[in-house]
Amino acid sequence: MDVRSDFALQLQLQHVAELALDPLVKDALEAVFTHMTGGRSRSRRGGRALITLLEEVRRAAATTDEWQVVRLIQDSLDYAEGRILRPDFEERYRLFQRSTQPLSSHQDYLARTLSATLEFFAQLADDYLGQHPEANPSEVLAHVKAVGRDARYMQQSQERPGRYRILRGSSEVAAWLEQVFHGRVDVEDPEQAARRIVMSPDALAILAADKEGQLLLQAAEVQRHRQGLKKLRKTVEDPGASEGDLQRALDGQYWIFGGQFASQAVQRRLVPGDEVDIPLIRGDGSLHIVELKRSMSLRGSLVKRHRGCWVPTAEVHDAVSQAVNYLVGLDEHRLRIRDELGIETRRASALVLIGHPSVQPDVAEEDINEALRTLNTHMSRVDVVTYKELADNAERALSGWE
């Protein structure tokens, strides 16, 4: 396993060290710094030893109930093992931003890329109008969109190295292939069939040498996820949808909550008298519960005005309190749950899904999200998001896979 150990990780861990309180946690962090910078080489040491030391920090923080440190160290592990990309990691912790530098290098790169892209499409529209002066705005926009779809299949010119070409009609061929694989090939369970194929040594060798075959399998998985996300959006935007409807739309789709989850637990009644809505299992075996409230049919509001700021309402705080009570029950029955069900609840966390920005059309969506994020920064084991933000995050994740 290739473990990443760089300056960004060191800066983030220094931030964690400033928050750590217990000597046990501080000593474990000091061992991490000694390993990373203790070699003679100027490069920072990583390897499996770094992962083990970070896991020791996480274990020490959980033992001393420093849950904020646990969450930060989990980010450190995800970054070191490649589950968080460096630009996301640096932006999340603002590792390299200064007041004299309004844009980070990644933001500047994004801005220049976006500017060049818009200039390209503007030139494309000008060229089309030059050839079709009678075209209306809808026709120009349709032409630009068509070229944008074909651009996904851009090829390098063999005659002119360093030049690239967009073959018109490529997207139609790709769409036809997708329809063939999804509508004309009889496979009862595509995911299971793909897994069976990959487990065959001969097929594995073929797929490993065939990038197009790998892309087709990935495209099928993305398509399945898109269908599930479409169903979820339809449900969360339905004014008549109940909590049961929302639970059915989310059931089995643990990928929507992020790549850190490995599965969804079958057992929902973990504590006598309580039944969690959606129990998720993280990669390290710990439990993460999802508490579902209403979306568009939420009876109250999400935020209210208080001393010139938007703050969460009692509706949100009551939902958070319910999630906290679940976590307390899980802590009290930790040993029984671990022995009987094999689920670790000591490091359990919770997500509260509640409401939709459309229930308060007089308040900007950004203000609602900002108020909930501010609340989240002051809680160590519970996060609150709207259904729309969850769906938007999943949409962005899918776009990154394509």
Side-chain angles (χ1 to χ4, degrees):
M1 176 179 61
D2 186 17
V3 176
R4 179 164 43 192
S5 178
D6 56 17
F7 187 48
L9 179 61
Q10 183 177 345
L11 284 179
Q12 190 258 2
L13 288 171
Q14 289 172 354
H15 170 66
V16 176
E18 293 173 359
L19 298 177
L21 300 176
D22 193 276
L24 184 64
V25 180
K26 289 182 175 291
D27 290 344
L29 279 167
E30 187 60 35
V32 173
F33 290 128
T34 299
H35 171 78
M36 291 179 66
T37 61
R40 296 181 180 179
S41 172
R42 295 182 61 184
S43 62
R44 293 164 184 81
R45 290 188 295 180
R48 181 62 207 176
L50 175 61
I51 299 301
T52 301
L53 290 171
L54 288 173
E55 289 174 345
E56 287 294 332
V57 177
R58 186 178 62 186
R59 186 178 302 107
T63 302
T64 56
D65 289 333
E66 294 193 25
W67 298 107
Q68 179 67 6
V69 173
V70 172
R71 293 179 62 184
L72 294 175
I73 291 299
Q74 186 59 53
D75 282 351
S76 306
L77 283 163
D78 289 341
Y79 177 70
E81 295 181 315
R83 290 187 293 272
I84 297 180
L85 300 178
R86 184 170 64 182
D88 290 337
F89 189 70
E90 293 178 357
E91 293 300 329
R92 179 179 304 182
Y93 291 98
R94 302 187 180 277
L95 298 177
F96 299 108
Q97 289 192 352
R98 302 290 187 271
S99 59
T100 57
Q101 182 182 348
L103 290 180
S104 71
S105 59
H106 304 301
Q107 291 171 326
D108 180 62
Y109 176 76
L110 176 62
R112 288 187 284 108
T113 301
L114 179 60
S115 176
T117 302
L118 292 176
E119 289 181 7
F120 169 77
F121 282 112
Q123 184 61 49
L124 193 66
D126 286 340
D127 293 343
Y128 184 79
L129 284 172
Q131 300 173 9
H132 307 84
E134 74 289 349
N136 59 42
S138 297
E139 293 172 335
V140 176
L141 183 59
H143 173 72
V144 171
K145 287 183 177 179
V147 175
R149 290 191 295 268
D150 289 333
R152 296 177 59 189
Y153 311 99
M154 182 169 56
Q155 298 181 7
Q156 184 172 355
S157 173
Q158 300 298 320
E159 296 80 15
R160 304 172 65 189
R163 305 285 295 185
Y164 300 88
R165 58 187 180 184
I166 299 175
L167 300 181
R168 297 304 313 280
S170 298
S171 61
E172 285 190 48
V173 176
W176 173 79
L177 284 174
E178 185 174 330
Q179 291 176 6
V180 168
F181 276 93
H182 287 280
R184 306 183 194 178
V185 178
D186 295 327
V187 180
E188 295 183 2
D189 188 343
E191 184 178 359
Q192 183 179 0
R195 188 181 301 112
R196 186 167 58 250
I197 292 173
V198 171
M199 291 176 64
S200 166
D202 294 338
L204 180 61
I206 295 174
L207 287 176
D210 187 357
K211 293 183 179 180
E212 287 75 10
Q214 296 174 5
L215 290 175
L216 284 173
L217 291 175
Q218 182 180 356
E221 184 72 3
V222 171
Q223 179 68 11
R224 186 175 67 86
H225 286 172
R226 284 210 172 276
Q227 291 173 352
L229 183 57
K230 183 179 179 180
K231 176 183 176 182
L232 174 63
R233 284 196 184 276
K234 182 178 180 180
T235 305
V236 302
E237 293 171 2
D238 181 3
S242 64
E243 292 178 14
D245 296 329
L246 293 164
Q247 183 171 347
R248 283 187 289 274
L250 284 166
D251 189 47
Q253 297 201 78
Y254 57 85
W255 68 270
I256 286 179
F257 298 96
Q260 69 269 36
F261 299 108
S263 64
Q264 177 176 329
V266 177
Q267 180 63 257
R268 293 172 53 200
R269 188 175 293 277
L270 303 172
V271 176
D274 288 337
E275 188 173 271
V276 300
D277 292 331
I278 300 179
L280 303 177
I281 306 298
R282 296 182 181 275
D284 62 352
S286 61
L287 180 69
H288 181 85
I289 64 174
V290 180
E291 174 62 23
L292 303 179
K293 296 301 178 184
R294 291 178 179 267
S295 179
M296 287 293 293
S297 60
L298 188 69
R299 293 184 177 87
S301 57
L302 286 166
V303 296
K304 64 180 181 180
R305 202 72 175 172
H306 180 71
R307 295 185 178 180
C309 298
W310 292 107
V311 297
T313 62
E315 192 92 14
V316 175
H317 286 291
D318 288 346
V320 170
S321 297
Q322 184 177 352
V324 170
N325 289 336
Y326 285 154
L327 294 177
V328 171
L330 292 172
D331 289 340
E332 293 174 348
H333 294 80
R334 176 205 171 203
L335 296 179
R336 179 187 61 78
I337 296 173
R338 187 185 62 185
D339 293 340
E340 294 180 5
L341 304 176
I343 298 176
E344 178 57 67
T345 63
R346 184 183 182 89
R347 302 185 300 275
S349 54
L351 171 69
V352 174
L353 283 176
I354 182 169
H356 191 286
S358 297
V359 302
Q360 283 186 270
D362 56 326
V363 183
E365 180 179 343
E366 293 79 6
D367 292 334
I368 294 176
N369 291 340
E370 184 63 27
L372 296 182
R373 290 184 189 124
T374 301
L375 174 66
N376 292 338
T377 60
H378 292 81
M379 298 186 296
S380 60
R381 299 177 66 183
V382 181
D383 283 331
V384 183
V385 299
T386 65
Y387 284 93
K388 184 177 186 300
E389 186 172 11
L390 175 74
D392 289 345
N393 291 342
E395 185 75 42
R396 284 188 287 269
L398 280 181
S399 298
W401 294 351
E402 293 180 335

